[in-house]
Amino acid sequence: MKRIIIMLLIACSAITTISADPSAAPQKKPELVSFTLNAIIQKFGQNEGQVYSVNRNPNTGIIESSIKIVPFHCSANRIKNDNVMNAVAINFPKEEPLAYQFLHVQPGSNELFSLKVITNNGTNQSTQRIRTNKNQEMWLMCCKNPENPQLRDAYAIVWEHNDEIDGTIYMISSLRPDIYAKNLETSKNTFKIEGRVDANIKDSLYNIYIANTGEELANIGDDDYVACVPVVNKRFEYQTELDHPVAGRLRCIFPNGELCSAWINLDFVPGETYRITVHDGYYDEDRDYERRVGRYSGKSLLTARQKRGNDDVAVADEFVVADTISIVSSTPEAAPQWRELLKVKLESKVMTIEAGMETIKATYKYLKPAYETRNFSVMNKTIAHIAKQNETLDANFQDLIKTLKQSPEIPQKERLEVISGGYKEILKFYTEQNQGFTEITKELGYLPKEMQKAQKVINKLIEKNMNEMSKMITEIR
């Protein structure tokens, strides 16, 4: 939920940033560089080893990140006769004024180069290794994205010139490191994966999935990944900031775009780095990591079957409502029958509530691009939608509480504990949203009208549920 508050603050702060210089000339795209690189791809690009991914905002259609990596190969004579490399040397310097970072490295220099790729509002970061040895020549330029000034467009070409030419073209759009970088390398909350891929397999991308528990991870959808990390030169890296340990998953995407039927489940722990080498059908685990904080430590969030990374996932030992409302069973010898009955009765209601919470969290993410593009129509619709989503969530929660109250088969003590826990959790969810609006007011000195309306809805839901919880506590006493 902290992420919701942060996103709201960043979104509203963007108003000031964007409005600061209304007369500024619009950013131009380096058309000549783009045309030259695409011409090389068209003539000499290789299908094997290509990486291509695009993430768009579902409301605005604006690209939030994109990665295009294409290897190319040809004979030295052919590329010389085509004169295309001369175009690189001419057009990169010609459009250098459009870049805020420009770099040309000649063969023989010991300077290597990597590019940070930051996504998910600055919380996820991966590294693209661009120039990997001193025999390569490299041209690179980074520009502000013309449509979204929060993004950086990077254009790079690197090649090694022998009897034949082997190189790679990079065209990457992602969040600007100068705005969003959080020095993840030194943060005590940073979790990082350093991966290698066996030379005999052709993995090109890895989807990264994250869930708070092993049970949530077991039910996660194929498309619910938080990052898509490319494999470059048989290596891949991923890192993110975490407030607490979570359950994570790596799942390969093959060069033909097919999602692998198998995956690797891991414990993602803040302040730790997991080093992994993936082979054909198995992987080398980080045994030191697993002993200290992973599957052999006694702290793992994954059950025995979940640790194996297949789809035959064990059922959890406790029934969870909205992540934290739990019914804890007594000893195995005295496992109550009411517990199984309750699970059947509440399962669909719980899933509806969980889905409602996740939908609200996801909807908050749409505010930022709406502000950045001055699309206040989308912003107002999004805020209004959030208010309605919270009202629907509360109606579903009340239905759950009603069912619990009308379940005499549950012992009174356990029933009251679950109901009380439910009120505390839903109030926490509403209160954190309300705090987000309060922080925006402090930041801007005012709260936009549509946000005021949404905050009133949230406050009414807080007041109603607090009164209901107080009444229940009074009845118990």
Side-chain angles (χ1 to χ4, degrees):
M1 186 59 61
K2 291 181 180 178
R3 186 175 295 178
I4 293 176
I5 298 172
I6 293 171
M7 287 181 176
L8 281 165
L9 287 171
I10 292 175
C12 291
S13 299
I15 297 176
T16 306
T17 303
I18 294 172
S19 302
D21 189 10
S23 63
Q27 173 70 28
K28 294 182 179 180
K29 182 177 179 179
E31 299 285 354
L32 294 176
V33 167
S34 179
F35 177 85
T36 302
L37 296 182
N38 281 310
I40 295 173
I41 291 173
Q42 185 177 2
K43 294 178 180 180
F44 308 117
Q46 304 291 296
N47 290 327
E48 184 174 345
Q50 283 196 22
V51 174
Y52 185 66
S53 67
V54 176
N55 293 317
R56 295 180 183 273
N57 182 280
N59 274 1
T60 65
I62 294 175
I63 291 177
E64 294 183 335
S65 66
S66 67
I67 297 175
K68 186 176 183 180
I69 304 173
V70 183
F72 65 91
H73 171 85
C74 65
S75 67
N77 287 333
R78 183 183 175 193
I79 206 165
K80 181 179 180 180
N81 293 335
D82 192 89
N83 209 32
V84 70
M85 302 314 286
N86 287 338
V88 171
I90 293 172
N91 291 330
F92 265 81
K94 184 177 291 186
E95 294 191 315
E96 180 271 331
L98 300 178
Y100 67 84
Q101 182 180 9
F102 188 90
L103 189 61
H104 178 214
V105 182
Q106 292 278 14
S109 169
N110 290 322
E111 182 178 1
L112 306 181
F113 188 84
S114 297
L115 195 68
K116 289 182 179 179
V117 179
I118 299 175
T119 57
N120 196 22
N121 206 44
T123 60
N124 292 342
Q125 176 177 301
S126 60
T127 302
Q128 290 292 338
R129 300 173 71 240
I130 307 296
R131 188 174 189 260
T132 58
N133 70 70
K134 67 178 184 179
N135 297 320
Q136 295 172 326
E137 182 170 359
M138 182 189 77
W139 289 87
L140 174 135
M141 64 188 303
C142 296
C143 316
K144 285 194 298 184
N145 182 280
E147 298 177 355
N148 185 348
Q150 305 298 308
L151 297 184
R152 174 199 63 190
D153 291 341
Y155 303 85
I157 179 170
V158 59
W159 72 92
E160 191 169 346
H161 194 157
N162 297 308
D163 293 335
E164 294 185 334
I165 290 181
D166 290 287
T168 307
I169 288 171
Y170 302 84
M171 289 187 277
I172 300 173
S173 295
S174 63
L175 295 173
R176 285 169 53 190
D178 57 313
I179 297 178
Y180 289 92
K182 297 182 178 180
N183 195 21
L184 296 181
E185 293 81 3
T186 59
S187 171
K188 65 180 180 180
N189 292 330
T190 300
F191 167 75
K192 185 175 182 180
I193 296 174
E194 293 181 353
R196 295 172 179 262
V197 175
D198 193 300
N200 297 323
I201 62 176
K202 298 180 179 180
D203 296 0
S204 61
L205 292 166
Y206 278 91
N207 281 351
I208 307 293
Y209 302 81
I210 290 179
N212 284 322
T213 66
E215 291 71 40
E216 288 182 19
L217 186 67
N219 296 314
I220 206 163
D222 291 348
D223 295 328
D224 294 333
Y225 55 88
V226 298
C228 187
V229 181
V231 177
V232 180
N233 297 325
K234 299 300 180 181
R235 296 175 181 266
F236 64 96
E237 291 185 0
Y238 168 76
Q239 64 186 66
T240 186
E241 287 192 10
L242 300 173
D243 293 326
H244 57 276
V246 296
R249 173 176 296 170
L250 284 71
R251 194 170 183 184
C252 168
I253 300 177
F254 297 122
N256 63 1
E258 180 183 353
L259 190 62
C260 183
S261 60
W263 54 80
I264 300 169
N265 287 344
L266 302 172
D267 291 280
F268 289 11
V269 180
E272 297 287 346
T273 297
Y274 196 100
R275 295 173 177 86
I276 186 172
T277 300
V278 181
H279 303 282
D280 189 8
Y282 68 101
Y283 68 95
D284 295 336
E285 66 181 10
D286 189 332
R287 290 189 175 274
D288 178 68
Y289 181 102
E290 298 289 10
R291 282 193 295 266
R292 289 185 297 101
V293 294
R295 67 184 68 191
Y296 310 129
S297 67
K299 307 173 186 177
S300 178
L301 297 174
L302 306 170
T303 66
R305 291 183 181 179
Q306 289 163 356
K307 290 171 186 175
R308 292 204 299 266
N310 60 23
D311 55 359
D312 183 17
V313 181
V315 178
D317 289 334
E318 67 178 12
F319 178 52
V320 180
V321 179
D323 293 339
T324 60
I325 309 169
S326 61
I327 300 171
V328 182
S329 66
S330 55
T331 61
E333 295 80 5
Q337 185 179 7
W338 60 262
R339 191 172 175 278
E340 291 302 319
L341 294 173
L342 185 63
K343 180 176 179 180
V344 173
K345 183 183 290 187
L346 296 186
E347 189 165 14
S348 63
K349 298 180 186 295
V350 170
M351 291 177 66
T352 300
I353 291 171
E354 290 177 336
M357 286 181 167
E358 292 304 316
T359 299
I360 291 170
K361 293 176 185 178
T363 307
Y364 273 108
K365 297 178 183 179
Y366 302 154
L367 288 176
K368 180 174 173 290
Y371 275 115
E372 291 173 346
T373 58
R374 300 184 182 181
N375 194 337
F376 294 106
S377 174
V378 171
M379 185 274 290
N380 290 337
K381 290 178 181 178
T382 302
I383 290 294
H385 195 42
I386 287 172
K388 290 181 180 179
Q389 287 174 333
N390 276 282
E391 290 176 331
T392 300
L393 173 66
D394 196 73
N396 291 328
F397 176 75
Q398 297 302 326
D399 182 50
L400 174 68
I401 296 298
K402 180 180 178 181
T403 302
L404 283 167
K405 288 180 177 179
Q406 296 175 353
S407 300
E409 69 272 18
I410 310 174
Q412 183 181 16
K413 179 182 177 182
E414 283 81 358
R415 182 168 67 248
L416 294 177
E417 285 179 355
V418 173
I419 293 174
S420 176
Y423 276 118
K424 289 178 181 178
E425 183 64 21
I426 203 73
L427 283 169
K428 178 183 176 183
F429 186 75
Y430 294 144
T431 300
E432 288 176 334
Q433 292 182 72
N434 189 42
Q435 289 172 348
F437 291 121
T438 301
E439 292 298 325
I440 291 171
T441 304
K442 291 179 181 178
E443 183 77 13
L444 298 180
Y446 74 100
L447 191 66
K449 185 175 180 181
E450 292 301 319
M451 287 190 178
Q452 292 180 30
K453 293 179 182 179
Q455 188 179 35
K456 287 180 181 178
V457 170
I458 300 294
N459 284 332
K460 286 182 179 179
L461 295 177
I462 291 173
E463 183 178 1
K464 183 185 79 168
N465 281 279
M466 287 187 68
N467 290 337
E468 290 176 352
M469 185 172 69
S470 298
K471 182 179 177 181
M472 185 195 72
I473 292 173
T474 302
E475 290 176 353
I476 294 173
R477 292 174 179 173

